[in-house]
Amino acid sequence: MADESKTKKHLVNELKKLRHRIAVLEKSEAKLRQMGVELSDSEAYLKAIMAAIPAGVMIIDPERHRIVDLNETATSLIGGQKKRIIGKECHQYVCPAEKGRCPITDLHQVIDNSERVLIDAKGRKLPIIKTVVPVTFRNCKFLIETFIDISERKRMDEELKRLATTDILTGAYNRTSFDEIIEREIERVKRYNKPLSVIMFDIDHFKQVNDTFGHNVGDAVLKKIAYLVKKILRKVDYFMRWGGEEFIIISAGIDREQAYTLAERIRKRIGNYKFDHIDKITVSCGVAEYQEGDTENSFIKRVDDSMYQAKREGRNRVAVAV
Ligand code: GH3
Ligand code: MG
Ligand code: MG
C-alpha cells in the first residue's frame, strides 16, 4: 500500500514536470511563430520601401562585393532580368573603375551624393549620383546603395552650355567663349611648344548687301558663309563669330604658312560660291601665328591689324602678320 502511494506520488510529480515542459514549449513555439511573423513583416516592409523609392536600390554583400538584392528601378536602369543580376559582382554595373579599391570597404570612405558611373547590361555608361549606407541586418553586414540616373540632367547642362556659347544665327561659337578658348590654347602652346594660329576674316562691303537686298538676305549670307567655312575646318579648329560680319578661327598645331593656306582656301571657297539673290561675296582675311611673349591682346591685335591691311590693300585677299 505504501509502495502504491509512492508510485502515485511519483507519477503525479512526473506529470507536473511534463505539463510544465509542455507549457514552456508552447510558449517558445508561440514566441518563434511571432518572431517569424515579425521577420517576414520586416522583410515585406523592406521590400515595400525598396519598391516605393524612385531611385535604384541595391543591397550588396560587402565581403564578396556581390549583389544580394535590387529594386525594380535598379533593374530597369541596368536592363535585363533581376534574377540574372543578383549574385553578380557589383562592380560589373556600378563604379567599375573602383574594383579592388572600393572606397567603402577598402578605403573606408563615405559616399554621399557622389557622381559615379553605372554600366548597363548592354555596356552603356550612365552617369549616376550615388549614396552608400552600411547596415547590419540579422547580424550580417550589408551595403545599401541608392542611385539616380542623371544623364538627362547632364544632357540639359551640356545643352545650356552649348546655347550659352553658340551664336544662334550661324551656329559658330559666340564671343563669350573666346577668352576661355584662347587662354587654354595659349597655355597649350607654352606647355607643348606646338604652333597656334588665328585667322580673322570680315565680309567685304557687307553693308551694301544689306542695303540692296535687305537684312534677311544678309542673314542668309552669314549663315551660308558659316556653313561653307565649317566644312573646310578640322574638328579641332574653333570657329567663332567675332562680331556682326567678322569671324575668327583658332587653329592649334598649324604655323603661319599653313594658316595662310587655310585662309586662302576659305577666301576662295566663299569667293567662288554663288549666293542666292546676290552674285558674289568676298572676304578679307588676316593671319597671325602666336609668338613668344604674346599676350591674348597682342596676339589678337596682330591678326586684326593684318586683316585691316588686307582691306587697305584692296580686299578679297589674305594678309599675314609678321
Ligand atoms: P568693309 O568691306 O570695309 O568691311 O565694309 P562693310 O560694309 O562690310 O563694313 P561695315 O562695318 O561698314 O558694315 C558692316 C555691316 O554688317 C553693317 C551691318 O549692317 C552688317 N551686319 C552686322 N551684323 C549683321 C547681322 O547680324 N545681320 C546682317 N544682315 N547684317 C549685319
Ligand atoms: Mg565688312
Ligand atoms: Mg566689319
Side-chain angles (χ1 to χ4, degrees):
M1 192 63 193
D3 272 356
E4 200 178 306
S5 132
K6 219 173 165 182
T7 312
K8 204 172 168 185
K9 214 171 169 186
H10 176 72
L11 278 173
V12 167
N13 268 344
E14 285 301 305
L15 200 64
K16 264 188 193 163
K17 276 189 206 164
L18 217 58
R19 275 198 188 126
H20 178 69
R21 265 197 220 150
I22 288 168
V24 169
L25 273 174
E26 270 174 0
K27 219 171 166 183
S28 37
E29 198 203 338
K31 201 171 168 187
L32 275 173
R33 217 179 292 132
Q34 179 58 27
M35 273 170 73
V37 169
E38 274 168 19
L39 277 176
S40 61
D41 271 359
S42 56
E43 224 171 273
Y45 186 60
L46 187 69
K47 280 200 184 325
I49 291 174
M50 279 175 70
I53 290 175
V57 182
M58 248 184 200
I59 315 288
I60 314 272
D61 166 2
E63 272 176 27
R64 299 181 310 131
H65 289 104
R66 300 280 154 183
I67 300 166
V68 176
D69 200 3
L70 69 164
N71 70 352
E72 288 314 309
T73 309
T75 310
S76 72
L77 280 175
I78 289 171
Q81 289 177 310
K82 182 174 169 174
K83 63 180 181 199
R84 289 185 191 274
I85 301 168
I86 289 177
K88 293 266 167 57
E89 192 182 55
C90 56
H91 293 297
Q92 182 173 333
Y93 303 112
V94 186
C95 317
E98 288 167 359
K99 186 175 173 170
R101 48 195 176 97
C102 174
I104 300 283
T105 56
D106 302 331
L107 310 174
H108 308 290
Q109 293 170 347
V110 173
I111 295 189
D112 187 18
N113 275 324
S114 317
E115 205 176 313
R116 294 291 205 271
V117 170
L118 179 134
I119 305 262
D120 74 7
K122 288 186 174 155
R124 287 175 302 205
K125 285 183 183 175
L126 287 181
I128 53 168
I129 291 273
K130 184 175 106 163
T131 294
V132 183
V133 185
V135 290
T136 304
F137 184 61
R138 296 188 198 168
N139 281 331
C140 292
K141 287 197 163 83
F142 294 98
L143 299 176
I144 300 184
E145 298 207 355
T146 359
F147 44 88
I148 51 166
D149 173 14
I150 54 161
S151 30
E152 191 52 35
R153 193 201 298 177
K154 286 227 139 191
R155 251 194 302 276
M156 278 169 71
D157 283 352
E158 270 160 30
E159 183 59 10
L160 277 176
K161 192 169 175 214
R162 197 188 64 76
L163 285 172
T165 55
T166 305
D167 169 55
I168 294 173
L169 180 70
T170 60
Y173 281 106
N174 61 23
R175 198 157 171 167
T176 320
S177 344
F178 179 76
D179 285 346
E180 190 193 318
I181 295 171
I182 198 77
E183 206 175 289
R184 196 174 56 223
E185 293 304 319
I186 289 177
E187 271 313 304
R188 223 176 266 179
V189 171
K190 289 179 182 163
R191 217 175 317 137
Y192 302 110
N193 206 22
K194 290 248 173 81
L196 171 68
S197 293
V198 168
I199 299 168
M200 185 186 274
F201 70 86
D202 179 290
I203 305 174
D204 297 329
H205 305 303
F206 194 52
K207 199 168 173 305
Q208 271 178 30
V209 172
N210 279 322
D211 291 349
T212 316
F213 303 98
H215 207 265
N216 286 347
V217 172
D219 277 1
V221 168
L222 288 169
K223 266 173 110 165
K224 183 57 85 178
I225 284 182
Y227 170 80
L228 296 173
V229 173
K230 273 193 255 176
K231 285 192 97 172
I232 290 174
L233 296 180
R234 305 167 304 167
K235 271 215 167 85
V236 290
D237 296 325
Y238 292 98
F239 178 50
M240 213 168 278
R241 189 170 178 197
W242 185 246
E245 30 82 82
E246 285 173 32
F247 295 87
I248 269 197
I249 294 146
I250 300 174
S251 200
I254 66 169
D255 63 17
R256 194 183 343 187
E257 279 75 33
Q258 291 164 311
Y260 171 77
T261 309
L262 177 59
E264 272 296 340
R265 275 187 70 199
I266 290 170
R267 185 187 68 79
K268 284 181 187 149
R269 183 75 186 99
I270 296 169
N272 291 331
Y273 190 81
K274 178 146 183 10
F275 290 85
D276 290 343
H277 310 288
I278 320 149
D279 192 23
K280 291 288 175 202
I281 295 272
T282 61
V283 294
S284 299
C285 310
V287 170
E289 181 182 340
Y290 178 82
Q291 286 174 354
E292 212 182 319
D294 257 339
T295 60
E296 273 172 49
N297 286 342
S298 67
F299 187 23
I300 293 312
K301 183 166 183 329
R302 287 195 302 112
V303 74
D304 195 51
D305 287 348
S306 60
M307 190 192 78
Y308 279 99
Q309 185 190 331
K311 289 273 185 199
R312 274 197 314 275
E313 288 175 355
R315 294 179 172 80
N316 189 22
R317 68 194 60 217
V318 178
V320 182
V322 278

